[in-house]
Amino acid sequence: MCGIVGYIGKRVAIPILVDGLKKLEYRGYDSAGVAVLDCEKIVVSKSVGKLVALEGELGQDYSQASIGIGHTRWATHGRPSQLNAHPHCDCKQDFVVVHNGIIENYLELKDKLIEKGHKFASETDTEVLAHLLEDYFEGDLEGAMRKVLKTIRGSFAMVALRRQEPDKLVAARKDSPMVVGLGDGEFFIASDITAILNYTRKVYILDDGEMVVITEEGVKVTDFEGNSRTKEVYDVKWDAVAAEKGGYEHFMLKEIHEQPKALRDTVLGRLEEERVVLQEVDLTLDELAQINKVYIVACGTAWHAGLVGKTLIERWARLPVEVDIASEFRYRSPLVDEHTLVVVVSQSGETADTLAALREAKNRGARVVAVTNVVGSTVSREAHDVIFTWAGPEIAVASTKAYTTQLEGMVLLGLYLAQVKGSLPSEKIGEIIEALKKIPAQVQELLDQEDLIKDLAKSFAKVENTFFIGRSLDWAVAMEGSLKLKEISYIHAEAYAAGELKHGTLALITEETPVIALATQRDVYEKTISNVKEVKARDAKVIGLTYEGNTSMAKSVDHVIYIPETLDELSPMLTVIPLQLLSYYVSVARGCDVDKPRNLAKSVTVE
């Protein structure tokens, strides 16, 4: 989830590149860089931090080159630094590359290139691409790029420039977006339409598996094998603000729809047939044998992900787990020592309470694993081990894709611990991995039912109180659904373990109080239905969530939302999707500020 822009034409390239990067900075903002071809030399300028730092580096006396590429980064491989910022070059400074996505087999390729004598300057997966182009080059950039595409695995959008071919840009995409802008004797390439709207509204939208060669004479689109592709010109009618949001009305809706890709990216390179690969975590069997307790510490939405993690780790790794709110953890003298594994969860990696809990745990001798979205964040630097979620920047205050990728991170950690301990047979791990691979497509199935949720949301527009109920993992997701609704629609919402209704909460149930009942945990399904009948007996309107094919629930509720069939342990990544959409559309119906709800901030950096 970074930003790419490229230009070839008659104008000075750098102002166009910088202007495009400004429009893309919402996609990544920990470092930025540009590369231009000037007087037969590749000139690269890079800076850490937001784009303004790069502008300061460039000054006013910049190159007059008319071909170049630029990038604004959201770090995945290697912390934010000048060396890790894009663009990246090969050993001889003949090739320069910018790249979005993840090269899954980059370590294996890097080792082979080093054996051949290549020298690497960064920690990134992207630099491998520049060295591969150098290694495979046999006469033209286009041919070298095709060989690279056959070698790499993962998701990517990339653009390359060669010093000796000053009139050519070559680009390719797989799973990461890319568009080509068509001008009069000039052409643009970018990871998002918003970057080029100031210059053209006519674009080619590249499809997966397509490669493009751009010169001042025109644009040639082929598949990865070199077969010609015919593209229709798309005439952009959005304004600049809508384009930044990808045509969506709000960032929150855009980020809800980015979840299939985010979930795919989080497991890229981490799943084998019957084995999880977590290169960032290095717990040996001997070290794990010394662990007798696990704490999961987080705030808000991340805490809800931790509640799911508790069940998964206890069920799979057979370790006792306690989940604590970070703001309470260090003030109650937690029983933490060198035999404790502490898992801290934070989207930003800068959450003040979570960071304080991490430091308290380390002071007491605990091993700390972080689950975070931001490479180079304080949490990622201070933890012993890190699982990055690779969700990309999340702009809306209400977390969506960060939460689902945190859930996926908990699945990976639970399986990893079970794998090291040998507490799950490899066949069972393989079964879970197979189901996990299907989750992104199943999330997309749910997103395709968006209009049904939108219609349902209309009945909530004037509601003032709502209850969410569920058992086991459904209760954890109910808490997240409740938080989403209250934080962006301002409806009072509470989540309860369904079995607790009769211990007081039933007194609040009336016909004006809708209840959302989650029922995906098969071992407690009948008990959940009994609780549903209790609220129906008090005239509540009930919306149920369960698996496709379960026709019995429709007999007990007013409306059913069906999710695709999966393992019960993985269902939270699916059940939360309709709850996110429901909260979003209720907020819109009530005229609330969806992306910036009152009194709330995205990253909480004070206690």
Side-chain angles (χ1 to χ4, degrees):
M1 186 76 182
C2 306
I4 285 174
V5 63
Y7 174 76
I8 182 170
K10 303 296 185 186
R11 291 194 257 184
V12 178
I14 285 181
I16 295 171
L17 298 177
V18 171
D19 181 60
L21 293 178
K22 286 179 179 177
K23 304 300 191 303
L24 295 174
E25 199 167 17
Y26 75 93
R27 296 177 63 92
Y29 38 76
D30 57 46
S31 59
V34 295
V36 293
L37 186 53
D38 189 11
C39 299
E40 300 184 353
K41 285 189 354 185
I42 291 173
V43 180
V44 179
S45 299
K46 304 195 282 190
S47 184
V48 180
K50 294 195 174 182
L51 192 60
V52 65
L54 177 64
E55 289 185 280
E57 181 85 13
L58 292 167
Q60 296 300 314
D61 187 24
Y62 44 70
S63 163
Q64 299 300 296
S66 59
I67 180 172
I69 54 179
H71 189 272
T72 181
R73 185 173 185 243
W74 180 261
T76 56
H77 293 67
R79 67 185 57 184
S81 70
Q82 193 163 32
L83 285 176
N84 290 331
H86 298 213
H88 289 287
C89 293
D90 67 312
C91 299
K92 301 175 183 176
Q93 303 286 299
D94 284 344
F95 300 88
V96 64
V97 179
V98 289
H99 158 244
N100 295 347
I102 297 166
I103 304 303
E104 196 172 332
N105 57 334
Y106 87 100
L107 283 175
E108 159 193 337
L109 296 171
K110 185 174 182 177
D111 288 342
K112 291 178 180 177
L113 288 163
I114 289 172
E115 285 178 10
K116 290 184 174 183
H118 289 260
K119 306 291 185 185
F120 283 78
S122 78
E123 304 168 272
T124 68
D125 55 338
T126 300
E127 192 182 355
V128 165
L129 300 173
H131 289 276
L132 284 173
L133 287 170
E134 177 189 9
D135 199 61
Y136 287 148
F137 185 75
E138 290 182 347
D140 71 286
L141 178 59
E142 187 177 350
M145 177 67 87
R146 284 209 168 79
K147 292 178 182 177
V148 171
L149 295 172
K150 291 177 181 177
T151 304
I152 60 176
R153 298 193 306 271
S155 64
F156 51 82
M158 68 176 99
V159 186
L161 174 64
R162 180 176 173 248
R163 180 174 63 83
Q164 295 88 343
E165 296 182 68
D167 61 345
K168 183 183 292 182
L169 293 174
V170 178
R173 71 150 287 186
K174 177 181 177 291
D175 297 329
S176 290
M178 182 167 283
V179 299
V180 177
L182 311 174
D184 184 9
E186 60 181 0
F187 299 94
F188 311 81
I189 192 159
S191 49
D192 201 330
I193 289 171
T194 182
I196 58 178
L197 269 186
N198 285 346
Y199 307 99
T200 182
R201 289 183 172 270
K202 296 187 180 302
V203 302
Y204 289 152
I205 299 176
L206 297 187
D207 294 317
D208 269 357
E210 288 187 335
M211 184 174 125
V212 59
V213 179
I214 307 172
T215 66
E216 288 186 21
E217 281 69 46
V219 177
K220 180 177 73 173
V221 182
T222 68
D223 61 19
F224 287 177
E225 301 298 322
N227 301 306
S228 181
R229 290 277 182 93
T230 301
K231 305 295 292 184
E232 289 187 12
V233 176
Y234 178 68
D235 192 6
V236 182
K237 295 181 170 58
W238 309 334
D239 61 21
V241 174
E244 188 173 290
K245 296 173 183 173
Y248 293 100
E249 188 175 352
H250 297 96
F251 277 111
M252 182 179 176
L253 186 60
K254 177 176 179 286
E255 287 157 7
I256 288 172
H257 279 267
E258 287 173 345
Q259 286 175 114
K261 181 182 185 303
L263 289 163
R264 281 194 296 269
D265 287 349
T266 296
V267 296
L268 267 177
R270 290 170 163 171
L271 299 180
E272 295 182 356
E273 190 171 334
E274 294 183 343
R275 184 170 174 268
V276 169
V277 179
L278 287 181
Q279 293 168 344
E280 312 97 322
V281 181
D282 187 23
L283 269 170
T284 66
L285 178 57
D286 287 342
E287 289 169 332
L288 196 52
Q290 301 302 311
I291 300 297
N292 57 29
K293 187 176 186 180
V294 178
Y295 270 96
I296 300 176
V297 185
C299 302
T301 285
W303 180 65
H304 297 155
L307 293 170
V308 174
K310 169 184 169 68
T311 296
L312 301 183
I313 293 171
E314 288 187 341
R315 191 173 293 181
W316 294 340
R318 309 308 298 162
L319 285 166
V321 182
E322 197 167 326
V323 185
D324 219 336
I325 295 170
S327 58
E328 295 290 330
F329 177 76
R330 67 191 177 114
Y331 296 112
R332 63 179 187 83
S333 298
L335 299 176
V336 171
D337 57 24
E338 66 274 15
H339 301 297
T340 309
L341 178 67
V342 174
V343 182
V344 296
V345 189
S346 168
Q347 187 281 137
S348 67
E350 304 294 345
T351 311
D353 288 314
T354 305
L355 186 56
L358 181 157
R359 290 167 176 164
E360 178 73 12
K362 286 182 73 176
N363 287 340
R364 291 171 179 263
R367 177 75 171 256
V368 179
V369 175
V371 178
T372 185
N373 191 32
V374 182
V375 176
S377 61
T378 307
V379 161
S380 73
R381 294 197 308 271
E382 296 193 12
H384 297 103
D385 309 279
V386 188
I387 299 173
F388 291 112
T389 55
W390 296 337
E394 193 175 63
I395 307 301
V397 167
S399 180
T400 52
K401 62 178 181 174
Y403 171 73
T404 48
T405 54
Q406 285 167 356
L407 292 178
E408 200 166 39
M410 288 297 172
V411 172
L412 292 172
L413 179 59
L415 288 176
Y416 175 83
L417 294 175
Q419 183 175 285
V420 174
K421 284 191 68 181
S423 54
L424 274 183
S426 59
E427 295 82 7
K428 180 62 177 177
I429 292 176
E431 178 190 350
I432 297 168
I433 286 173
E434 194 59 33
L436 184 59
K437 289 177 180 177
K438 296 177 182 176
I439 291 291
Q442 291 176 322
V443 168
Q444 187 59 56
E445 285 181 44
L446 288 164
L447 293 173
D448 292 342
Q449 300 175 35
E450 184 174 356
D451 287 343
L452 298 176
I453 308 296
K454 188 175 181 179
D455 289 341
L456 188 61
K458 294 173 185 175
S459 64
F460 278 74
K462 296 184 179 179
V463 164
E464 293 304 324
N465 298 285
T466 303
F467 287 101
F468 290 72
I469 63 172
R471 288 173 178 262
S472 185
L473 291 176
D474 283 334
W475 176 39
V477 180
M479 281 190 270
E480 175 60 15
S482 168
L483 175 62
K484 282 294 149 292
L485 186 64
K486 71 178 78 170
E487 71 181 331
I488 64 170
S489 75
Y490 316 143
I491 291 174
H492 173 246
E494 296 293 340
Y496 283 91
E500 290 296 296
L501 285 171
K502 51 189 168 290
H503 296 291
T505 314
L506 275 174
L508 298 174
I509 300 295
T510 69
E511 60 184 346
E512 288 84 28
T513 309
V515 175
I516 298 173
L518 284 67
T520 67
Q521 302 302 295
R522 293 171 176 88
D523 58 337
V524 290
Y525 174 76
E526 291 180 352
K527 295 183 184 300
T528 302
I529 293 301
S530 295
N531 302 133
V532 167
K533 291 184 182 297
E534 289 174 345
V535 297
K536 281 300 293 178
R538 275 77 181 174
D539 298 321
K541 179 180 178 181
V542 181
I543 298 167
L545 274 79
T546 193
Y547 294 120
E548 292 171 349
N550 180 3
T551 57
S552 65
M553 194 171 197
K555 301 172 185 176
S556 303
V557 301
D558 298 280
H559 185 90
V560 184
I561 299 171
Y562 292 105
I563 68 166
E565 183 85 14
T566 189
L567 300 177
D568 287 3
E569 292 92 339
L570 305 185
S571 67
M573 287 179 279
L574 300 179
T575 48
V576 76
I577 304 300
L579 302 185
Q580 292 172 348
L581 288 168
L582 181 66
S583 298
Y584 171 79
Y585 282 111
V586 170
S587 179
V588 170
R590 288 167 67 91
C592 300
D593 188 343
V594 175
D595 287 335
K596 297 178 181 178
R598 66 189 182 206
N599 305 330
L600 299 178
K602 182 63 182 172
S603 181
V604 183
T605 55
V606 295
E607 291 190 48

